[in-house]
Amino acid sequence: MEIKKVVIIGSGTMGSGIAAHLCNANVPVTLLDLTTEISTNARDRIFKSRPPLLIDKSKINNIKVGNISDDFDIVKEADWIVEAVVERIDIKHQIYDKIFKFRKEGAIVSSNTSSIPIKVLSQNLTNEQKKDFCITHFFNPVRYMGLLEIVKNENNDLEKINSLQKFCEIELGKGAIVCNDTPGFLGNRVGVYAMQIAMTEAFKMKLTVEEADAIFGRPMGIPKTGVFGLYDLIGIDLMADVLKSFIKELPKTDKFHEVAQEIPLIKKLIETGYTGRKGKGGFFRINKDGGAKILEALNLETGDYSPSKKIDIKSEKVDLKKLINRDDKYGKYAWSVISKIIKYASSLVTEITDEFNDIDEAMRLGFNWSKGPFEMLEEIGVENFFSKIDNYDGNKFLENLAKSKNENFYGERQKYTKIETLGKVKRKAQSIDGNSSAQIYQFKDYNIVEFTTKANALDYDSMDALKKATDKPLIIINESMQFSAGVNLSYTMDFANKGDFKSIEKFIKYFQETCKELKYSKYPVISAPSGLTLGGGFEVLVQSNFVASHTNIVIGLVETIVGLIPAGGGCKEMLARWQNTEESKKDPHFAPLKVFDIIGYGKTATSPVEAEPLKYLKPEDKKIMNRNSLLEASKQILDENRDFNSPSELVFNLPGESVRGEMYKVLDKLYNDKVIQDHGMEVAKELAYVLSGGDTSIDKQLSEDDLFKLELDAFMKLIETSKTQERIKHTLATGKPLVN
Ligand code: NAD
C-alpha cells in the first residue's frame, strides 16, 4: 500500500503540525476544517511557526486547504485520511461516517486522539471498515517530537498497519511504536504519571517550584523545563482536562488516581486565568511591573509570586546513583520520584505493552528523556534498587526481578525498529575509552565518539576523545538533543576569571589541531548531527570528511554574538567553501565579504534546506528524516569510501586591506544606524582582519595554518577584553545575547 496523497480533517495544533510534516516529506496533503478560513489561518500559522514546522518554507503552498462541506470530494483521492478534530466522540463519529462514505476502498483512516480508546472510536464501524482504521497518535510539535504511537483494533489488516508504520518511520522519520488500546497509550500514561508524581511529591516534601524543577530536570536526564515549567508550557487547564480523562478511563485500583486528584491551588490558578505561558502566567510568570521583566515563581504554600531563585544542586552530569543517595531533601525527592515512576511503569507491563523496552523508548521520543524508567532502574542497579525500595506487592515485573537479581535484565534497545540504531549498536560495541566529556566506542571496523556534556558543549576532553578515535574510520554521533551547542563557555570563563589566558590559548590550539586531524587523518571521519550544531560543534562537522545530517538541525557560527570569532577553523572553512564559487573566481572580494556577512551576523539555519545557501551544508551531504537512521547512513558512507584518500591541504589567496576597507564601510553604517555598538565594532573588525587574510595581498598564498593563526590571535585578543567577558557572562546567566 503506497501513501501518495493525504487528507487531514481538523487544522488545529495537531492537524496543521501533521500537514506541515507531510509537506516536509514531499507528500501532497490537504487540510480540511469547518471553514476554509480556519484552514487558511492554520496554513499561515505553519508558515510563521517558531521553531519552524516546515523544513522548506517555500513549499507552504504544497499544503492545500479547504472546508468539509465544499471540498470533501478530495477524500476520494486520499490513501490516508487523518482525523485531528477536537477531542469529542460525537464529532469524531460524525466525521468517520462521512469519511467512510467518501474514501476510496482500502484507504487508511486514522485518528490522532490522545485519550479515546479505539474500541469507542470504532464502535459504529463495520468489520470491513475496521480493517483500515487505527489510531496514529503524533506528539506536538510534530516535526520535532520523535514519537508516533499506532494503536490497532482487533480487525486490522496487519499488512496495512505494517506498511503505515514503515511509511511513518522512513518517510516521516518517526519512532513508530505499535501499542495496546489502553488510556494514554505508552507515552502519556507514564509521562503524565511522572509529571504528577513529581508535582505531588514536591507539594508533600515542601519543595519550591524551582527546587523541584532543578531535580526533575537535567540531573535526571529530563529536559530542563522540569515539571512546573512543563505544566506552564503545556497549559495548566489542558493538563487538568488530561487528568480528568485519565480518572474517567482508568480503573479505581490504578495508582494513577493517587496522583491525579484536583489540587486547590491549581484549580484557583485556572479560574483566575493563570493557565501557563499562554495565559497570565502559571507556576512561573514574567512580571513587567516597573519596566524590567522579572521572572517570578509561585509559592506553593501561599500562592504568592516572588522573584525566581536559581537553584544550583551542584550536579552537572546525570548520575542517578549519586543523586538518589544524596543525604538532603533533593536526594530524598529524587529517590521518591524515580522509584515511584519505576514502580508504576513496571506495573504496566504487560497491560500496555509486552515490551518494557517500548516504554523507555516512548519516554525518550515523546518526552525527550535521556533514559526511560527501566534504563533508570538499570543505572541504579538491581541490587541497589531492591535494597532501598519499600514494597512492590502485586508488581509481577519487580517480583520476578527481585528473585532473579539479574543486573543484566535489560537486553536490547529500540526493539520497535529494525533500523540498526546508535542505541542498539552502543550496547553491542566495545567501550574503548572515554572521559567526562565523551565516550569512544569501537564497533566492527570503525569508532564512534559520543559527546556527553550538557548540550554537548566542547572542552579539552571532548577534543581528546576525538583525537584518540582517529585511528580507525570515525563516526561522530550522539543520542542527546544537541549534536553540540559549541565550545563550553563556562569552561572558558573559568580560566578567564582566573586571568589564565594561557590555558584558553592551549585549548584553542588543541581544538584546531584536533580538527585538522579529523580532516587529514588516514581514515574517513563522518559527523552525524541532529539538533544544535553551533560554533565549535559546526567546526567539528565542517572539518569532518562527510556529513549525514538529520533534517532537524540548527546550524551556524554564532561566536560573534558572545563577542568572539570562530577560531577552530570555522572562518577558514567558510572562506574555502565560498572561494570555491564562480563569483569568487571573478571577484576576490566576494568570498571574504560573503563570509563576513554570515559570521558577522551569527546567521543560523533551522534545516538543511536553509543551511545549503549559506554553505553550512553541502548539496552532497546526506539529509535524513529519521534520526534513528543516522548511524546506518554514516556506515553506508564508510562502505562507499573504502578507498578513501584524505584531502589535500587548502591554500588561500586573500585580498587583505582592500577588502577590509569595504567591510569597514558596512560596519560604519551599522554603527551609525545603532545596530551595533562599540564592542560590536571591535569584534567585527577582528573578524574582518581574519577573513581578509590579515596583512596580506592577493598574490600571496596563505596556508590553513596561517588562517588558524589569524583565528587564534583574534580570539585571544577578544577573550581578554572585559566587554567580551561581559557578553559571555550575560549569555551564560540569561541564555540571551548582550549588545554592548
Ligand atoms: P485543536 O482544538 O487545536 O484543533 C481542532 C480543530 O478541529 C479546530 O481547528 C476545529 O475547528 C476543528 N474541528 C472541530 N470540529 C470539526 C469538524 N466537525 N470538522 C472539521 N474540523 C473540525 O485541537 P488539537 O490540539 O489539534 O487536537 C486534535 C486532536 O489531536 C484531538 O483528538 C487531541 O486529543 C489530539 N492530540 C492533541 C495533542 C496536543 O498537544 N494538542 C497531542 C496529541 C493528540
Side-chain angles (χ1 to χ4, degrees), residues 8-18 32-35 38-39 42 45 67-68 72 83-88 91-92 94-95 111-116 136-141 188 234 238:
I8 296 167
I9 321 251
S11 65
T13 309
M14 295 311 291
S16 57
I18 300 166
L32 300 181
D33 208 297
L34 292 169
T35 66
I38 302 177
S39 47
R45 275 200 323 272
N67 68 70
I68 52 162
F72 216 79
E83 169 275 301
V85 304
V86 282
E87 193 75 331
R88 271 198 29 207
I91 298 181
K92 289 192 194 272
Q94 279 169 24
I95 299 268
S111 171
N112 195 59
T113 182
S114 29
S115 63
I116 308 176
T136 46
H137 182 231
F138 287 90
F139 281 64
N140 185 35
N188 283 346
I234 295 174
L238 196 86

Side-chain angles (χ1 to χ4, degrees), residues 278-295:
K278 64 177 176 187
K280 294 195 238 172
F283 293 102
F284 295 93
R285 72 170 184 192
I286 303 285
N287 191 341
K288 289 181 195 149
D289 278 358
K293 287 184 186 169
I294 296 173
L295 179 69

